[in-house]
Amino acid sequence: MKVAVVGGGLGGLAAAHALLAAGHDVHVLEEHARAGGVIGTSTVDGYVREHAASSFLGGPPHGALALCEALGVPVEQASPRAKRRWIYIDGKLRALPRNPIELVRSDLLTWRGKLDLVREPFRPARTDRDHDESVHAFAARRLGAEAARAIVAPAVTGIYAADAHSISLEAGFPRIAALEADGGLVRGLAKQAARGLAGKLMARVTGKRTAEGPSRTRRGMFAPRGGLGALIEALSQRLGDRLRLATQVESIAATQGAKSIVIDDETFDAAVLAVPAHHAVGMVNVPELATRLRDFRRAPAALVYLGFPATAAPDVQDGFGALVAQGEDVRVLGFVFESTVWAQRAPAGHVLVRCIMGGGRDPAAAALPDSELIATAVADVGTVLGITARPTHTSVVRWSHGIAQYGVGHRDRVRSAVAVARAHRIVLAGADYQGPAVNDLCADAARVVDEVRSWAG
Ligand SMILES: Cc1cc2nc3c(=O)[nH]c(=O)nc-3n(C[C@H](O)[C@H](O)[C@H](O)COP(=O)(O)OP(=O)(O)OC[C@H]3O[C@@H](n4cnc5c(N)ncnc54)[C@H](O)[C@@H]3O)c2cc1C
């Protein structure tokens, strides 16, 4: 089939790569002169800056690690020094406990909060499964109010830069929702482990593979060596002249009988819409689809990069980074210790800290002028990380529509939009629908291929 992929961000590129491998005549139409969308890597003053995603977990069998391996992109694993995570709460930086002994010793929760947390297995599972709930409501119900505020809400900020009250549990954290459906976090984990073991035993006895397909890949956090830009580069090369850069799509029109689709003046058998939903609204001339696409939104984000002499910033050499709990007198949402996590991200003897601002939690921050963003970030690394030296490098990357926000009820909105799009041979892809992370986009490519295949012949 002749398939157009509109949008050359990672969502579009991963889908196009999978469609090409499945034998389709695929063409990616990308507005800008470079592909990758929000993802990109640049070097300024010897500091290597990620413009959006900077890493992915190795676990999922069809995720980014598998794609890097298929494309021959060398990857590196996060440094062992990056294991510790910090939470800034009640005016102090506190370590996130990694095991029960650390939890007992931790000052992140009071004794009451710790007791609430360990009571989780004894709480009844929610009976009303028909309605979605926010991550915060779920966490407060199962883990207690303290853990919801001190552990879960900062984690939601770390992924969605959002307030945990406004993110859907089932869409934003589907694995946790699945555990709850199995009776709770601890009970669900135990049941899943038992099912996994039973599946492995069956496979051994029968000599067959389990339905899950390939075995899980490596554990841990990974990134292409030198940054995510290398993955975009490899996908672009693989697509060659099928990737049409500097090609802005203006109109996508369904045809009578819905057997083809016209994009500007060119006819295709199907289209994959991999632009952010708010861009797609003005493009599709299918009113019932445009109406549904208005429901999806991305929050603005600003990244401030600060470089320091290593001697002036000893604390950023232990751990992945720090997240700021809501209600603190600090505007940065979180800090990533880039040069501790990855090799060669800062010049010798220096460190690089990435400060995340804006998001759904504080959208106004992402619109501040560069000078104000930098001054705020410098003040906040002083307050949170105790760095008082002047930075040797400062720079800003910002996105007016950066991070997809999956509000409560997201899954229903996706189902409805997907059904309308499908009726016109349009597949909805990209961060707004089935998962915003790099791994989600890579894994979603298989669903795109299945949808397109259903129209063949
Ligand atoms: C600051 C930040 C940090 C993040 N950190 C992480 C992380 O650490 N780990 C992780 O897994 N994920 C992370 N993410 C999420 C992840 O990077 C994004 O969700 C994902 O890259 C979005 O990809 P996309 O292809 O859906 O959209 P985009 O990257 O937005 O791509 C859409 C493309 O469509 C093109 N386009 C738009 N209109 C048109 C048109 N009319 N015609 C043609 N083309 C058009 C655009 O130019 C763009 O290239 C982060 C995101 C941000 C913003």
Side-chain angles (χ1 to χ4, degrees):
M1 294 180 82
K2 184 181 176 191
V3 185
V5 175
V6 184
L10 181 62
L13 295 177
H17 174 256
L19 286 164
L20 188 63
H24 296 288
D25 175 20
V26 63
H27 302 269
V28 182
L29 315 176
E30 163 55 44
E31 170 179 16
H32 288 115
R34 74 157 191 94
V38 294
I39 293 182
T41 309
S42 58
T43 303
V44 181
D45 299 343
Y47 292 93
V48 179
R49 311 169 323 156
E50 286 290 20
H51 297 186
S54 57
S55 58
F56 46 81
L57 290 171
H62 302 289
L65 189 58
L67 184 58
C68 285
E69 278 167 8
L71 290 164
V73 175
V75 294
E76 63 177 319
Q77 188 156 10
S79 159
R81 289 192 302 151
K83 288 219 161 76
R84 172 81 57 203
R85 279 151 202 264
W86 301 91
I87 310 279
Y88 183 75
I89 187 165
D90 296 330
K92 192 179 159 205
L93 200 59
R94 299 161 205 265
L96 182 69
R98 289 177 293 184
N99 54 49
I101 294 168
E102 285 189 6
L103 176 67
V104 171
R105 293 193 182 140
S106 168
D107 62 353
L108 190 60
L109 301 177
T110 64
W111 276 108
R112 196 187 183 143
K114 289 174 194 173
L115 280 175
D116 254 354
L117 188 64
V118 297
R119 278 197 205 114
E120 192 278 335
F122 308 106
R123 296 207 169 89
R126 191 163 163 246
T127 45
D128 169 21
R129 301 250 180 83
D130 292 341
H131 296 101
D132 192 9
E133 68 180 329
S134 75
V135 183
H136 191 276
F138 161 83
R141 183 167 56 72
R142 287 217 70 87
L143 307 172
E146 267 193 42
R149 171 174 173 253
I151 298 175
V152 178
V156 173
T157 300
I159 298 169
Y160 289 94
D163 179 338
H165 290 85
S166 65
I167 295 294
S168 150
L169 178 74
E170 66 166 14
F173 294 85
R175 280 201 204 106
I176 294 181
L179 292 177
E180 161 90 321
D182 261 343
L185 300 181
V186 172
R187 281 166 190 237
L189 276 173
K191 277 191 195 167
Q192 287 186 3
R195 277 201 294 267
L197 198 61
K200 275 192 193 143
L201 281 172
M202 273 305 276
R204 251 204 205 159
V205 172
T206 60
K208 284 185 190 156
R209 273 193 169 283
T210 54
E212 280 168 23
S215 60
R216 289 170 73 79
T217 52
R218 288 185 279 164
R219 281 179 182 277
M221 185 168 279
F222 294 85
R225 195 163 297 145
L228 255 292
L231 175 58
I232 300 298
E233 186 56 34
L235 282 164
S236 304
Q237 275 184 16
R238 180 65 63 96
L239 290 163
D241 58 9
R242 292 175 175 279
L243 171 58
R244 303 186 201 164
L245 295 171
T247 305
Q248 184 182 17
V249 169
E250 280 172 11
S251 123
I252 301 181
T255 55
Q256 283 286 333
K259 290 275 185 231
S260 61
I261 193 137
V262 179
I263 297 185
D264 295 334
D265 286 328
E266 194 171 347
T267 302
F268 295 86
D269 297 312
V272 179
L273 204 45
V275 297
H278 67 277
H279 282 203
V281 166
M283 240 182 247
V284 289
N285 84 26
V286 177
E288 69 268 35
L289 179 57
T291 306
R292 283 167 175 79
L293 293 176
R294 279 198 185 90
D295 290 338
F296 301 97
R297 116 192 138 76
R298 293 192 184 190
L303 302 173
V304 180
Y305 304 86
L306 301 177
F308 295 98
T311 48
D315 285 353
V316 307
Q317 292 160 64
D318 173 18
F320 182 85
L323 290 163
V324 176
Q326 237 160 318
E328 299 301 313
D329 196 13
V330 164
R331 207 146 185 201
V332 171
L333 304 176
F335 307 85
V336 180
F337 307 160
E338 293 286 341
S339 50
T340 303
V341 186
W342 310 111
Q344 292 166 347
R345 298 287 170 111
H350 289 74
V351 294
L352 176 65
V353 181
R354 164 157 105 149
C355 311
I356 298 134
M357 299 175 75
R361 224 169 90 173
D362 183 14
L368 294 173
D370 280 9
S371 58
E372 231 176 289
L373 278 173
I374 290 168
T376 306
V378 168
D380 287 356
V381 292
T383 307
V384 175
L385 305 173
I387 304 173
T388 50
R390 281 172 70 83
T392 46
H393 165 84
T394 62
S395 60
V396 173
V397 167
R398 69 173 85 220
W399 302 106
S400 60
H401 295 86
I403 304 174
Q405 306 284 290
Y406 289 4
V408 174
H410 178 83
R411 280 269 172 93
D412 289 340
R413 291 189 283 276
V414 171
R415 267 191 286 274
S416 164
V418 163
V420 174
R422 186 178 289 144
H424 298 279
R425 290 200 172 201
I426 297 172
V427 189
L428 298 178
D432 293 290
Y433 313 106
Q434 314 284 351
V438 165
N439 270 335
D440 300 320
L441 298 173
C442 295
D444 194 39
R447 181 193 60 87
V448 173
V449 172
D450 284 347
E451 285 236 24
V452 169
R453 187 183 298 128
S454 70
W455 298 312

